């Protein structure tokens, strides 16, 4: 039978990753307002753990997606909408990989190790270089804002489908029966 909904594991990953991204983003903006202090460093560690968790979970999700597949676009949608939705989803996946990787690279270039959950030291995979660290910091912040803009557009589209078109777009990404 042709699938009409996302499967439970994909749905769980979608919302878990979305929550982690929103939390990492909000936390980063909050940390920026704090003076240098042990609290600031601790919160940066939490920010990094959330970001690396996104990287790991999105890798699991892409493997799952390729193994299990996803439902076809809903019928009766204009072609342009299917093309824009596809392009947005691909860009979101790309950014979910690139943004944490650039964050990790930035930390490496600045010579600050990332210790995942305080127990697992991750390798510094970029040479320590102050100028490179600054460039990666700008890239990280710019990419984060691009991701935020895409997410806002993506969420607005989902709500528009639910409230105005009254179709199944949002329902098939929510837990429940088909
Ligand atoms: C979903 C993943 C992530 C999101 C949404 C995100 C978002 C952000 C944002 C918005 C800022 C800028 C805050 C400001 O205005 O100062 C920031 C800064 C930062 N992020 Fe991330 N980030 C993510 C992942 C990571 C990862 C994986 C690392 C490192 C392992 C990291 C390390 C940092 C650091 C060190 C800064 C502070 C840069 C500075 O001002 O010196 N981030 N992040
Ligand atoms: C950080 C936040 C988010 C990210 C990174 C994100 C990412 C994605 C991605 C990559 C897909 C494509 C799934 C696939 O086919 O493999 C997707 C689907 C979907 N997302 Fe999100 N999402 C986020 C937040 C939201 C929010 C807040 C909503 C609702 C208000 C939402 C509603 C949906 C819906 C309904 C689909 C299914 C679209 C369809 O069937 O064509 N997402 N999301």
């Amino acid at each position: 039978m042709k699938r009409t909904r996302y499967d439970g594991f994909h749905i769980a990953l979608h919302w878990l990753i979305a929550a982690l991204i929103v939390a990492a983003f909000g936390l980063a903006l909050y940390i920026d307002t704090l003076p240098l202090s042990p609290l600031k460093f601790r919160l940066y560690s939490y920010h990094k753990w959330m970001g690396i968790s996104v990287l790991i979970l999105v890798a699991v999700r892409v493997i799952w997606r390729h193994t299990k597949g996803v439902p076809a676009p809903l019928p009766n949608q204009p072609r342009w909408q299917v093309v824009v939705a596809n392009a947005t989803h691909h860009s979101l996946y790309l950014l979910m990989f690139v943004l944490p990787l650039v964050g990790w690279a930035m930390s490496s270039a600045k010579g600050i190790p990332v210790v995942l959950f305080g127990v697992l030291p991750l390798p510094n995979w970029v040479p320590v270089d102050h100028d490179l660290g600054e460039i990666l910091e700008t890239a990280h912040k710019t990419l984060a804002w691009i991701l935020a803009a895409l997410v806002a557009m993506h969420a607005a589209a989902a709500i528009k489908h639910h409230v105005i078109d009254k179709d199944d777009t949002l329902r098939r990404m929510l837990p429940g029966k088909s």
Side-chain angles (χ1 to χ4, degrees):
M1 204 177 67
K2 246 176 93 186
R3 167 171 325 145
T4 53
R5 295 175 50 76
Y6 285 87
D7 64 80
F9 189 58
H10 194 126
I11 293 173
L13 285 176
H14 174 272
W15 293 109
L16 177 60
I17 293 170
L20 281 169
I21 290 176
V22 171
F25 191 90
L27 186 59
L29 296 187
Y30 171 65
I31 298 170
D32 195 39
T33 65
L34 296 177
L36 265 191
S37 63
L39 172 69
K40 184 163 180 147
F41 285 109
R42 187 146 42 89
L43 293 182
Y44 263 132
S45 294
Y46 297 164
H47 173 79
K48 293 175 182 183
W49 301 349
M50 288 174 192
I52 298 293
S53 302
V54 168
L55 185 62
I56 297 167
L57 290 172
V58 81
V60 173
R61 178 165 163 195
V62 167
I63 295 168
W64 185 262
R65 187 187 198 284
H66 278 277
T67 319
K68 299 283 176 179
V70 286
L74 286 173
N76 308 326
Q77 292 197 74
R79 171 100 190 108
W80 70 265
Q81 239 181 62
V82 177
V83 171
V84 172
N86 260 329
T88 309
H89 293 165
H90 279 101
S91 310
L92 287 169
Y93 275 123
L94 185 68
L95 279 170
M96 286 188 279
F97 278 109
V98 174
L99 177 61
L101 279 174
V102 171
W104 180 6
M106 169 194 17
S107 290
S108 300
K110 291 185 177 189
I112 308 166
V114 182
V115 184
L116 191 57
F117 307 127
V119 288
L120 183 66
L122 302 184
N124 275 3
W125 56 289
V126 167
V128 177
D129 176 334
H130 178 265
D131 292 347
L132 179 61
E134 294 294 307
I135 293 169
L136 289 170
E137 184 187 323
T138 308
H140 184 66
K141 290 181 178 175
T142 309
L143 289 170
W145 282 104
I146 294 174
L147 175 62
L150 273 179
V151 165
M153 206 177 92
H154 169 72
I159 291 166
K160 182 242 176 210
H161 274 285
H162 194 68
V163 176
I164 297 174
D165 304 339
K166 300 193 191 317
D167 66 22
D168 279 338
T169 305
L170 181 58
R171 253 185 298 272
R172 68 189 198 155
M173 191 44 112
L174 293 173
K177 294 203 172 69
S178 48

